[in-house]
Each structure stands twice: as C-alpha cells, then as structure tokens.
Amino acid sequence: MLVIVSPSLCSKTGKPNIPNTFDIVKYGAKGDGHTDDSNAFLKAWEAACSSTKGTPILIVPAGKIFMTQPVTFHGPCKSETINVMIRGTITAPQNREHWKSDSNDHDSWITFNHISGLVVNGGGTLNGQGASWWDKKDASNRPTALRFLGCDNVKHGPLTHFNSPRNHISVTGCDGVLISNVNLIAPETSPNTDGVDISSSTKVFIEHSTISTGDDCVAINSGSKFINITNVKCGPGHGISVGSLGKHGECATVEEVYVSHIIFTRTTNGARIKTWEGGSGYARKITYDNITLIGVKNPVIIDQQYNALESVGRGVKISDVTFRNFRGTTKDKKAIELNCARIGCTNVVLEEINITSLNGNRPSSSCSNVQGSCYSCNPTVTCLGH
Ligand SMILES: *[C@@H]1O[C@H](CO)[C@@H](O)[C@H](O)[C@H]1NC(C)=O
Ligand SMILES: *[C@@H]1O[C@H](CO)[C@@H](O)[C@H](O)[C@H]1NC(C)=O
Ligand SMILES: *[C@@H]1O[C@H](CO)[C@@H](O)[C@H](O)[C@H]1NC(C)=O
C-alpha cells in the first residue's frame, strides 16, 4: 500500500504530525452541567500528557457543559507540545457550598502546572461561577479561575471567561505566554476579579482581547519582565496596573513593560503604577503608548505612597516611565496624578497628552517629587520640565 504523507502534516523533526485526540466524553464526562466530570478531565489529561505521538489534543466538545471541581493538570508531558481544545463550556460548581474542600487546589479552579508547549484554545467558554463568592467578606479564600504555574511557551485563546471568583487568569512563574483573543467578563461590582494577573514571569504578551471586570484588567506584579500588552479594550475595570509592589516591606521588581493601543472605557484608572512605602526594589522601563480614554476617572496615575499611613523614607524606585499619546476624556477633575514619595520618581516622560473633561471643565494635574519632562501636555504638569 502506498502511503502519501503531505509535507504540511509533518512536524519540524520530519515525523508525521498525526492528530492524536483525547475527547473527555470518551473518558466518561457527562457534560450535563451538573455531574462532576473532574475524573474524566484528569484521565483524559493523563493519557494525552503521556502520549508521544505528534501533538496530543485534549478535546472538550462543543454543545455541552462540563462541570468540574478544582483540577490540576500536571506536566511535564512526553510530547513537545500539547493542546487543550475547549469548544464547549467548562463550568465550576454553581454554588460555593458545592466546591469540594478536600482538594489541595484551594487557590485556583483550573491549574496548568509545569507544562511546556501548551496551547489552550477552541473558542469555548470557562464559567467560574463567581457570584456566590463575591458577597463574602473573606477575600483571601476566593479562588482564581485559571492559573498557569511554571509553564513555558503557552498560547491561550481564543476563549471566553465569565465570572471568576477572583482573578480570571493568573500567570505565575512562567516564561513565554501569549494570551490573545480572549474575552474576560465579570460585573463591574465583583471584587478582586482581575482579568490577567502576572507575577514572577517573563515574556508575557496579551493582545486582541476584551476585558470587562470589577478590578484591574491587567495587573503586573513583582518579578515580571518583558511584558507586552497591545490592542486591548479595557472597561469597566480598574485599568492596566503595575503593582501594587512592595507591600509589607517586600523587595519587588518589574521592568520592560510596553502597553499600547488600549481603549479604556469608563474605568476607574487608566495607566497606573502603585507601590507601597517601606518596600524596596524597582519599577522601571515602563511605557504606555497610544491610549484612548472614554470617561476614565484617573487616566494617568503614579502612586508611590499606596495605602501609606506615614512616610517612612524607603520605597520601590520608579524610573524611566513614559506616557505617550493619550487622548480622550476624564470623568473626574484630576486627569494626571504623579504622587511620588520622598525617594522620588525619576525620568518620567509625558508626551502628546490631550485629556479633556466630560463635563467641559478644564481637568487638572498634580505632582510631587517627580523628575522628568512633559511635551505637549493638556493638562500641563507644572512640576515637570518642558
Ligand atoms: C510589543 O508590541 C509592540 C507593538 O505594539 C511591538 O512593536 C514590539 O516589538 C513588541 N515588543 C516585543 C518585545 O515583542
Ligand atoms: C492606536 O490604537 C488604536 C486602537 O486603540 C489603533 O486602531 C491605532 O492603529 C493605533 N494608532 C497607532 C498610530 O499606532
Ligand atoms: C484636544 O482634544 C480636544 C477634544 O477632542 C480637541 O478639540 C483639541 O483640538 C485637542 N487639542 C490638541 C492640541 O490636539
């Protein structure tokens, strides 16, 4: 028999890239929205992750709702790449009381742990069922919906995420993560529901996505480096923030952050950097470029005294920060706030800023302990050179 393998089916190594699929229904998932399908997810994952043929694909089929308790997908896997294709809906237990508490994975609902070459896509939906968690005062117990922990070379999206109890996506200790074409949606009033939360990670790119939540659209935390966020619509939400850094005297570092082509709609903040007094480390080489503002409360804000009760004379250094090409409207009076502590912020550059007020009044700016410059700024920032 003559077997013709077309070149396009071949992987780089020359081995045929045979589709190698693991449908969770074949592993016993019911997909009725109620039955606990956790075991089917884990069994399908175990099979896919130990497969050596081509790129294994774990399939969550369309047209069904699969309920799962907190699950962790552990790597490393045998293959170079592995694909989780979510075409249908995955839902968390509907009520907080029904989340299994004997699990070790309290802090997140779905965890990908130490997997490299992971692709999560399929255009389906993740529903974190956060509502029953939000009214509780005890914020520390609310789980993140999806966590990438120690993963390298990840591609995530297209996918839609709804109503996480806490962060929709956390990226922790990863190198090389591309999040694109995701919709992250939770009510404006839902507490701590960050869109994407990045920490201790390098080369994280977020692009072509829409984030509407009750907290930061993206939060960039300590240990983050080479972060690129572009073509994102944010709002409602609390903007795209670096920090908060240096809480409880911690040493925190963030550098090489590039945020561009963003539309902020009715967010509480736009571009924000916030650090606590008493910490150490730095936030530097941060650029926000080409930003459209629609009724934003605090479009540009540096706060080096976040939650400060008294000045302690130490803090996270802030330097080499650029805000360029901001246009649009602010909801409140103060469009630009550069509030640095005694240690000061250095080389803060504002360029081509034109922020007008929704109510027709002239917006204002304020600044303290900042060294830098302002070119073509409306409103002007008087403590900066021109
Ligand atoms: C970040 O994105 C911009 C496009 O907005 C691109 O020009 C730049 O090269 C990117 N940076 C990296 C490190 O990929
Ligand atoms: C600025 O960003 C918008 C999207 O917010 C994009 O459509 C436009 O092309 C960008 N402009 C430049 C000059 O890069
Ligand atoms: C600033 O924006 C307002 C409102 O869009 C516009 O009328 C004004 O011409 C702009 N100013 C500059 C210097 O571009």
Coordinates of all heavy atoms in Angstrom, one line a residue, residues 148 153-157 169 171 174-182 184 196 198 201-209 211 218 220 224-232 255-260 262:
F148 N -1.8 29.5 35.3 CA -0.6 28.9 34.7 C 0.5 29.0 35.6 O 0.9 30.1 36.0 CB -0.3 29.6 33.3 CG -1.3 29.4 32.3 CD1 -2.2 30.5 32.0 CD2 -1.4 28.2 31.6 CE1 -3.1 30.4 31.0 CE2 -2.4 28.1 30.6 CZ -3.3 29.2 30.3
N153 N 6.2 28.7 27.2 CA 5.7 28.6 25.8 C 4.2 28.2 25.8 O 3.8 27.2 25.3 CB 6.4 27.5 25.0 CG 7.7 28.1 24.4 OD1 7.7 29.2 23.9 ND2 8.8 27.3 24.5
V154 N 3.4 29.1 26.3 CA 2.0 28.9 26.4 C 1.3 29.8 25.4 O 1.7 30.9 25.2 CB 1.5 29.2 27.8 CG1 0.0 29.1 27.9 CG2 2.1 28.4 28.9
K155 N 0.3 29.2 24.7 CA -0.6 30.1 23.9 C -2.0 29.9 24.5 O -2.5 28.7 24.6 CB -0.6 29.6 22.5 CG 0.7 30.0 21.8 CD 0.5 30.0 20.3 CE 1.8 30.4 19.6 NZ 2.4 29.3 18.8
H156 N -2.7 31.0 24.8 CA -4.0 30.8 25.4 C -5.0 31.7 24.6 O -4.8 32.9 24.4 CB -4.0 31.3 26.8 CG -5.3 31.1 27.5 ND1 -5.7 29.9 28.0 CD2 -6.3 32.0 27.8 CE1 -6.9 30.1 28.6 NE2 -7.3 31.3 28.5
G157 N -6.1 31.1 24.1 CA -7.1 31.8 23.3 C -7.1 31.4 21.9 O -6.2 30.8 21.5
I169 N -7.4 35.0 35.1 CA -6.2 34.2 34.6 C -5.0 34.7 35.5 O -4.8 35.9 35.6 CB -5.9 34.5 33.2 CG1 -7.1 34.1 32.3 CG2 -4.6 33.7 32.8 CD1 -6.8 34.4 30.8
V171 N -0.9 34.3 35.8 CA 0.3 33.7 35.2 C 1.4 33.8 36.2 O 1.8 35.0 36.6 CB 0.6 34.5 33.9 CG1 2.0 34.1 33.3 CG2 -0.5 34.5 32.9
C174 N 6.1 31.8 34.9 CA 6.1 31.3 33.5 C 7.1 32.1 32.6 O 7.4 33.2 32.9 CB 4.7 31.4 32.9 SG 3.4 30.4 33.7
D175 N 7.5 31.5 31.5 CA 8.4 32.1 30.6 C 7.8 31.9 29.2 O 7.7 30.8 28.7 CB 9.8 31.5 30.7 CG 10.7 32.2 29.7 OD1 10.5 33.3 29.3 OD2 11.7 31.5 29.3
G176 N 7.3 33.0 28.6 CA 6.7 32.9 27.2 C 5.3 32.5 27.3 O 4.9 31.4 27.2
V177 N 4.4 33.5 27.4 CA 3.0 33.3 27.4 C 2.3 34.3 26.5 O 2.5 35.5 26.6 CB 2.4 33.5 28.8 CG1 0.9 33.3 28.8 CG2 3.1 32.5 29.8
L178 N 1.6 33.7 25.5 CA 0.8 34.6 24.6 C -0.7 34.4 24.8 O -1.2 33.3 24.7 CB 1.1 34.3 23.1 CG 0.3 34.9 22.1 CD1 0.4 36.5 22.1 CD2 0.6 34.4 20.7
I179 N -1.3 35.5 25.3 CA -2.8 35.4 25.5 C -3.4 36.3 24.5 O -3.1 37.5 24.4 CB -3.1 35.9 26.9 CG1 -2.5 35.0 28.0 CG2 -4.6 36.1 27.1 CD1 -2.7 35.5 29.4
S180 N -4.2 35.7 23.6 CA -4.8 36.5 22.5 C -6.2 36.1 22.3 O -6.6 34.9 22.5 CB -3.9 36.4 21.2 OG -3.9 35.1 20.8
N181 N -7.0 37.1 21.8 CA -8.4 36.8 21.5 C -9.2 36.2 22.7 O -9.9 35.2 22.5 CB -8.5 36.0 20.3 CG -8.0 36.7 19.0 OD1 -8.5 37.7 18.6 ND2 -6.9 36.2 18.6
V182 N -9.0 36.8 23.8 CA -9.8 36.3 25.0 C -10.8 37.4 25.3 O -10.5 38.6 25.2 CB -9.0 35.9 26.2 CG1 -8.1 34.7 25.9 CG2 -8.2 37.0 26.7
L184 N -12.7 38.4 28.8 CA -12.8 38.2 30.2 C -13.9 39.1 30.8 O -13.8 40.3 30.7 CB -11.5 38.5 30.9 CG -10.2 37.8 30.2 CD1 -9.0 38.2 31.0 CD2 -10.3 36.3 30.1
V196 N -6.2 39.6 33.9 CA -5.0 38.8 33.9 C -4.0 39.4 35.0 O -3.8 40.6 35.0 CB -4.3 38.8 32.6 CG1 -3.1 37.9 32.6 CG2 -5.2 38.5 31.4
I198 N -0.2 38.9 36.4 CA 1.1 38.4 36.1 C 2.0 38.5 37.2 O 2.1 39.6 37.8 CB 1.6 39.1 34.8 CG1 0.6 39.1 33.7 CG2 3.0 38.6 34.4 CD1 0.9 40.1 32.6
S201 N 7.1 36.3 36.1 CA 7.1 35.8 34.7 C 7.8 36.7 33.7 O 7.8 37.9 33.9 CB 5.6 35.6 34.3 OG 5.0 34.6 35.1
T202 N 8.3 36.1 32.7 CA 8.9 36.9 31.6 C 8.3 36.6 30.3 O 7.7 35.5 30.1 CB 10.4 36.5 31.5 OG1 10.6 35.1 31.4 CG2 11.2 37.0 32.7
K203 N 8.3 37.6 29.4 CA 7.8 37.5 28.1 C 6.3 37.1 28.1 O 5.9 36.0 27.6 CB 8.6 36.5 27.2 CG 10.0 37.0 26.9 CD 10.6 36.3 25.8 CE 12.0 35.7 26.1 NZ 12.1 34.3 26.4
V204 N 5.5 37.9 28.6 CA 4.1 37.7 28.6 C 3.4 38.7 27.7 O 3.6 39.9 27.9 CB 3.4 37.8 30.0 CG1 1.9 37.5 30.0 CG2 4.1 36.8 31.0
F205 N 2.8 38.2 26.6 CA 2.1 39.1 25.7 C 0.6 38.9 25.8 O 0.1 37.8 25.8 CB 2.5 38.8 24.2 CG 4.0 39.1 24.0 CD1 4.6 38.7 22.8 CD2 4.8 39.8 24.9 CE1 5.9 39.0 22.5 CE2 6.1 40.1 24.6 CZ 6.7 39.6 23.5
I206 N -0.1 40.0 25.8 CA -1.6 40.0 25.8 C -2.0 40.8 24.6 O -1.6 42.0 24.6 CB -2.2 40.5 27.1 CG1 -1.6 39.7 28.3 CG2 -3.7 40.4 27.1 CD1 -2.0 40.3 29.7
E207 N -2.8 40.3 23.8 CA -3.2 41.1 22.6 C -4.6 40.7 22.1 O -5.2 39.7 22.4 CB -2.2 40.9 21.5 CG -2.1 39.5 21.0 CD -1.1 39.3 19.9 OE1 -0.1 40.0 19.8 OE2 -1.3 38.4 19.1
H208 N -5.2 41.7 21.4 CA -6.5 41.5 20.7 C -7.5 40.9 21.7 O -8.1 39.8 21.4 CB -6.4 40.6 19.5 CG -5.5 41.2 18.5 ND1 -5.8 42.3 17.8 CD2 -4.2 40.8 18.1 CE1 -4.8 42.6 17.0 NE2 -3.8 41.7 17.2
S209 N -7.8 41.5 22.8 CA -8.7 41.0 23.8 C -9.5 42.0 24.4 O -9.2 43.2 24.3 CB -7.8 40.3 24.9 OG -7.2 39.1 24.4
I211 N -11.5 43.0 28.0 CA -11.5 42.7 29.5 C -12.5 43.7 30.2 O -12.3 44.9 30.1 CB -10.1 42.8 30.1 CG1 -9.1 41.9 29.3 CG2 -10.1 42.3 31.5 CD1 -7.7 42.0 29.7
V218 N -5.5 44.3 33.7 CA -4.3 43.5 33.8 C -3.5 44.1 35.0 O -3.4 45.3 35.2 CB -3.4 43.6 32.6 CG1 -2.1 42.8 32.7 CG2 -4.2 43.2 31.3
I220 N 0.3 43.8 36.8 CA 1.6 43.3 36.6 C 2.4 43.4 37.9 O 2.6 44.5 38.4 CB 2.3 44.2 35.5 CG1 1.5 44.1 34.2 CG2 3.8 43.7 35.3 CD1 1.8 45.2 33.2
S224 N 8.1 40.5 37.2 CA 7.6 40.5 35.8 C 8.6 41.3 35.0 O 9.0 42.4 35.3 CB 6.2 41.0 35.7 OG 5.3 40.3 36.6
K225 N 8.9 40.8 33.8 CA 9.8 41.4 32.9 C 9.5 41.1 31.4 O 9.0 40.0 31.2 CB 11.2 40.7 33.2 CG 12.4 41.5 33.0 CD 13.6 40.7 33.6 CE 14.9 41.1 33.0 NZ 16.0 40.5 33.7
F226 N 9.6 42.0 30.6 CA 9.2 41.9 29.2 C 7.8 41.5 29.0 O 7.4 40.4 28.6 CB 10.1 40.8 28.4 CG 11.6 41.3 28.4 CD1 12.5 40.6 29.2 CD2 12.0 42.3 27.6 CE1 13.8 41.0 29.2 CE2 13.3 42.7 27.6 CZ 14.2 42.1 28.4
I227 N 6.9 42.5 29.4 CA 5.5 42.3 29.3 C 5.0 43.2 28.2 O 5.3 44.4 28.2 CB 4.8 42.7 30.7 CG1 5.5 42.0 31.9 CG2 3.3 42.4 30.6 CD1 5.5 40.5 31.9
N228 N 4.2 42.7 27.3 CA 3.7 43.5 26.2 C 2.2 43.3 26.0 O 1.7 42.2 25.8 CB 4.4 42.9 24.9 CG 4.5 44.0 23.8 OD1 3.7 44.9 23.8 ND2 5.4 43.8 22.9
I229 N 1.5 44.4 26.2 CA 0.1 44.4 26.1 C -0.4 45.3 25.0 O -0.1 46.5 25.0 CB -0.5 44.8 27.5 CG1 0.0 43.9 28.6 CG2 -2.1 44.7 27.4 CD1 -0.3 44.4 30.0
T230 N -1.1 44.8 24.0 CA -1.4 45.6 22.9 C -2.8 45.2 22.3 O -3.2 44.1 22.4 CB -0.3 45.5 21.8 OG1 -0.5 46.5 20.8 CG2 -0.2 44.2 21.2
N231 N -3.5 46.3 21.8 CA -4.8 46.0 21.3 C -5.8 45.4 22.2 O -6.3 44.3 22.0 CB -4.7 45.1 20.0 CG -4.5 46.0 18.8 OD1 -5.4 46.8 18.4 ND2 -3.4 45.8 18.1
V232 N -5.9 46.0 23.4 CA -6.8 45.5 24.4 C -7.9 46.6 24.7 O -7.6 47.8 24.8 CB -6.1 45.1 25.7 CG1 -7.0 44.8 26.8 CG2 -5.2 43.9 25.4
E255 N 10.1 45.3 35.2 CA 10.8 46.1 34.2 C 10.4 45.7 32.8 O 10.0 44.5 32.6 CB 12.3 46.2 34.4 CG 13.0 44.9 34.2 CD 14.5 45.0 34.5 OE1 15.1 46.0 34.1 OE2 15.1 44.0 35.1
E256 N 10.7 46.6 31.9 CA 10.4 46.3 30.4 C 8.9 45.9 30.2 O 8.6 44.8 29.9 CB 11.3 45.2 29.9 CG 12.8 45.5 30.0 CD 13.3 46.5 28.9 OE1 12.5 46.9 28.1 OE2 14.5 46.8 29.0
V257 N 8.1 47.0 30.4 CA 6.7 46.8 30.2 C 6.2 47.7 29.1 O 6.6 48.9 29.1 CB 5.9 47.1 31.5 CG1 4.4 47.1 31.3 CG2 6.3 46.2 32.7
Y258 N 5.5 47.2 28.1 CA 5.1 48.0 27.0 C 3.6 47.8 26.8 O 3.1 46.7 26.5 CB 5.9 47.6 25.8 CG 5.7 48.5 24.6 CD1 6.3 49.8 24.6 CD2 5.0 48.1 23.5 CE1 6.1 50.6 23.6 CE2 4.8 49.0 22.4 CZ 5.4 50.2 22.5 OH 5.2 51.1 21.4
V259 N 2.8 48.9 27.0 CA 1.4 48.8 26.9 C 1.0 49.7 25.8 O 1.2 50.9 25.9 CB 0.7 49.2 28.2 CG1 -0.8 49.1 28.2 CG2 1.2 48.4 29.4
S260 N 0.3 49.2 24.7 CA 0.0 50.1 23.6 C -1.4 49.8 23.0 O -1.8 48.6 23.1 CB 1.1 50.1 22.6 OG 1.1 48.8 21.9
I262 N -4.5 50.8 23.5 CA -5.5 50.4 24.5 C -6.7 51.4 24.5 O -6.5 52.6 24.4 CB -4.9 50.4 25.9 CG1 -3.6 49.6 26.0 CG2 -5.9 49.9 27.0 CD1 -3.7 48.1 25.8

